[in-house]
Amino acid sequence: MARRNICSDPKSRRIFLADAGMGLAGLALGTLLTPQSIAAVQPHFAPKAKRVIWLFMLGGVSHVESFDPKPELNKHAGKQLSETPHRDTLTNPFVKENLKAFVPGQHQIKLTLYPMQTGYQPRGKNGVLVSDWFPHIGSQMHEVSLIRSTWTTDNDHGAILQFHTGRHIFDGYLPTLGSWVHYGLGSLNENLPAYIVLGEPPGDCCGGNGTHGSGYLGPEHAGVSLDVNPENPLPFVSPGAELSKADQEREFALLRKLNGMSATEYPQDPALAARIKSYELAFRMQMAVPEAIQFKEESPATQKLYGLDQEITRPFGQVCLAARRLSERGVRFVQVYHGGAGNAWDAHKDLKKNHSSLAMKVDQPIAALLQDLKQRGLLEETLVVWATEFGRTPGAEASNGRDHHPFGFSVFMAGGGVKAGVVHGATDEIGFHAVENRHYVTDIHATVLHQLGLDPRRLDIPGRKRIDIDYGKPIKEILV
C-alpha cells in the first residue's frame, strides 16, 4: 500500500496537525463525534424531561433487602418451597417461560427459603416499606415512583448488558439506552459530550464498555468516560504539559485556516465538517470538564449532604455530585455505575456483610442527589433512574447468601414528569416473581425515551428494525 505524504496531501496534513495539537484526543474524538452528535435533533413530541441520570448497581441488589421487603420469608425460613403455601410458584407460566432462557447449569433456583437479613419500616412521607440498609433513600420515597415488578431473562451477569440494550448478550452488542438518547437528541451544551459515564463500569464478562456502547449506531454515540478526580478528569484529552494554552490556541488558529481552505474546496464533505467540529469540541472539553468537576466550588452544606466529609461515602458522593454538576451544565445522559468489574453487589455468600457495607457507601449520596436536584429546581426536568441487573433469590445459597434472580425485582424513577410517591407493580409474597403490572426492562427504556419526547419506532435505522419487545411500552401509570 502506498504511503501517504502529509506534506502534499492537505487533508492528511490537517489531520496530522490536529492530532498533534490534541494529543490522543485527536485520535479518539475524530471517530467519536460526528455531525449528528453535535447538532441536536428536535424531539418527536413535547418532552417532560431534558436529561437523565442513570444510577446502576452492578451485581444484582437483593430486592427483598432493599425496596421490596418480604416478611413472609421470615415466617417460612429454612423450609423447602414445596413445604409452604407457595409450592406452586415454579409452575407459574411466567416463571416457566423465563426458565427457557436460562444458561444451562448456571444459577439454578434455590428452594430453601432464607429469611430477610435486615429489618424494614415505613419510610418517606408516604410510608413505603424500605429496608433498614437504605434509610436515606427511604426518606425520599415520597419523591419517587417505585416499580416492584421488573423482570428480565438472563440468569447471569450478561443481564447487565441486557438491561441496557433490551436483548440477551447472545444477541450481540447492540445500541444502549444512552446511545439512543444521544442519537435522538444530541447535546444541550456544545462544550460537553451528550453522553458521559462516571464510576467503575462492569467487566468484559458482563458486557464491559458495551453497556454504555452504541452498537450499530456507531462509536460517535457511545458514552464518554470521565474520572471524578478534579486534578485530571480527562487524562486522554490533554495535549501534554509541554504545550501551553497559547501555543495550542495558535495551532488551532492554523487548523481553522487550513480547514477553512479545504471546506471551500470541498463544501459538501460531511466527514470534513465532522472532524473539524470534533477537534473544536475536544478543545472546549479541556476547559469545560475540569470546571464541572471542581467540588470545592460547592458550599460546605452541599458537600456534607453528599457525604464528602465521611470516608465511607466520599467516593460515591463525589460521583453523584459530579453527575449533578454535569447534568446542570447540559449533559443529556449521565450514566453512573457502582460495583465495578467485580460486580460488588453479587452476594452469593455473606449477603448481610456485603449489602450492609455497600449500602452505606451509596445510600446517602443517592438520597442527596435527589434532594439537591429538588432544592435547585432541577428535579422537575431531570429524570433519575436507579436500577440493577436482577434481584436475588428468596432461597438461600451457600447458607448465608442469595443467587441471581431475574423473575421480579425493583427499579425506581424520580423527577422528569414521573409521579412522586407511587408504588407500581408487585412481586408475590416471597418475592419470587412479578405478579402485578409486570415490566420487561425495555419498558424502563420506553418510559425514559417517552419523557424525553422520543418515539423509539421513529428512531429506527433502515435494515436494523428491532423486534417489538425491544421497543417496550411507557409505564403510563407512573407518569404525570
Side-chain angles (χ1 to χ4, degrees):
M1 187 172 74
R3 233 154 118 196
R4 197 165 52 175
N5 187 333
I6 65 170
C7 295
S8 60
D9 183 342
K11 187 173 181 180
S12 298
R13 183 171 65 249
R14 210 171 43 246
I15 292 171
F16 171 78
L17 287 169
D19 288 344
M22 282 306 305
L24 290 178
L27 300 174
L29 290 173
T31 58
L32 193 62
L33 301 159
T34 66
Q36 174 115 26
S37 67
I38 294 167
V41 179
Q42 291 298 313
H44 300 137
F45 47 86
K48 294 292 183 67
K50 290 183 178 179
R51 61 189 76 86
V52 178
I53 298 177
W54 179 269
L55 306 166
F56 201 84
M57 310 293 107
L58 297 164
V61 177
S62 173
H63 53 299
V64 302
E65 273 104 5
S66 57
F67 305 110
D68 192 12
K70 296 296 180 182
E72 187 78 358
L73 286 177
N74 297 338
K75 181 178 177 182
H76 298 293
K79 294 180 183 178
Q80 293 295 295
L81 186 62
S82 60
E83 300 171 338
T84 74
H86 312 287
R87 62 181 64 88
D88 296 331
T89 294
L90 297 185
T91 63
N92 180 281
F94 298 126
V95 174
K96 291 176 69 175
E97 185 63 27
N98 278 22
L99 281 171
K100 295 177 183 178
F102 269 34
V103 177
Q106 291 188 351
H107 308 290
Q108 301 304 301
I109 293 170
K110 304 300 186 286
L111 299 177
T112 304
L113 296 186
Y114 188 49
M116 288 184 60
Q117 297 301 292
T118 183
Y120 59 93
Q121 58 184 286
R123 298 187 184 276
K125 295 177 182 178
N126 52 342
V128 176
L129 292 182
V130 175
S131 92
D132 291 344
W133 286 338
F134 295 91
H136 292 90
I137 297 176
S139 73
Q140 298 300 304
M141 281 294 107
H142 55 278
E143 297 288 359
V144 314
S145 278
L146 175 60
I147 304 160
R148 285 175 165 167
S149 53
T150 313
W151 64 277
T152 187
T153 62
D154 198 324
N155 65 326
D156 209 347
H157 293 293
I160 297 170
L161 186 66
Q162 185 173 25
F163 204 108
H164 289 85
T165 66
R167 295 288 292 276
H168 199 286
I169 195 170
F170 292 161
D171 292 326
Y173 287 59
L174 299 171
T176 56
L177 177 61
S179 67
W180 280 116
V181 172
H182 187 312
Y183 174 80
L185 293 175
S187 180
L188 288 165
N189 185 336
E190 64 175 9
N191 297 327
L192 292 167
Y195 183 10
I196 283 179
V197 179
L198 302 175
E200 299 177 88
D204 291 340
C205 66
C206 315
N209 290 342
T211 59
H212 51 268
S214 51
Y216 56 74
L217 293 180
E220 65 269 22
H221 300 294
V224 178
S225 295
L226 296 185
D227 194 336
V228 297
N229 175 7
E231 302 303 318
N232 192 24
L234 283 168
F236 299 110
V237 188
S238 170
E242 68 280 1
L243 186 66
S244 71
K245 182 180 178 182
D247 288 340
Q248 190 181 24
E249 287 177 342
R250 281 193 291 270
E251 287 188 359
F252 270 89
L254 174 59
L255 285 170
R256 279 192 291 270
K257 184 176 180 180
L258 291 171
N259 285 325
M261 293 166 60
S262 296
T264 301
E265 186 175 353
Y266 305 105
Q268 304 302 319
D269 185 354
L272 173 60
R275 195 168 187 97
I276 293 171
K277 290 184 178 180
S278 73
Y279 292 130
E280 290 174 348
L281 175 56
F283 177 67
R284 293 194 300 270
M285 283 173 61
Q286 292 179 18
M287 308 297 116
V289 170
E291 185 276 331
I293 311 296
Q294 290 302 317
F295 306 130
K296 62 184 180 182
E297 296 178 359
E298 300 289 338
S299 70
T302 297
Q303 294 187 44
K304 184 174 182 179
L305 180 68
Y306 281 88
L308 302 195
D309 60 332
Q310 304 172 56
E311 184 176 350
I312 192 165
T313 50
R314 185 182 303 114
F316 199 66
Q318 289 179 329
V319 170
C320 288
L321 181 52
R324 190 222 82 204
R325 288 178 63 86
L326 288 164
S327 291
E328 69 182 340
R329 283 160 175 76
V331 175
R332 184 78 70 174
F333 198 102
V334 180
Q335 178 141 349
V336 175
Y337 293 112
H338 183 265
N343 300 323
W345 291 89
D346 194 23
H348 291 281
K349 61 180 181 179
D350 294 332
L351 182 140
K352 186 172 185 177
K353 179 180 179 181
N354 173 280
H355 272 37
S356 62
S357 62
L358 292 175
M360 288 180 66
K361 296 177 180 180
V362 305
D363 179 43
Q364 180 179 340
I366 292 173
L369 177 63
L370 297 176
Q371 291 174 272
D372 197 19
L373 289 169
K374 175 86 172 185
Q375 68 190 18
R376 291 171 185 272
L378 293 169
L379 187 59
E380 193 173 295
E381 56 187 26
T382 305
L383 183 59
V384 180
V385 182
W386 180 96
T388 188
E389 66 259 41
F390 39 53
R392 306 206 74 83
T393 53
E397 183 181 20
S399 78
N400 62 358
R402 300 190 190 277
D403 205 348
H404 307 168
H405 198 74
F407 300 109
F409 56 102
S410 298
V411 170
F412 70 73
M413 300 185 184
V418 168
K419 290 179 180 176
V422 170
V423 177
H424 175 73
T427 52
D428 63 14
E429 288 185 314
I430 58 172
F432 196 102
H433 66 282
V435 294
E436 178 185 310
N437 294 315
R438 303 175 74 248
H439 294 288
Y440 178 62
V441 294
T442 51
D443 287 355
I444 305 298
H445 297 185
T447 304
V448 171
L449 294 173
H450 182 272
Q451 295 308 92
L452 292 169
L454 293 174
D455 176 358
R457 285 170 175 79
R458 294 168 67 179
L459 294 175
D460 266 331
I461 309 298
R464 293 286 190 174
K465 193 168 181 62
R466 297 167 294 161
I467 59 175
D468 191 62
I469 196 170
D470 286 325
Y471 295 109
K473 297 178 180 178
I475 307 173
K476 296 293 183 65
E477 295 89 341
I478 71 169
L479 303 182
V480 175

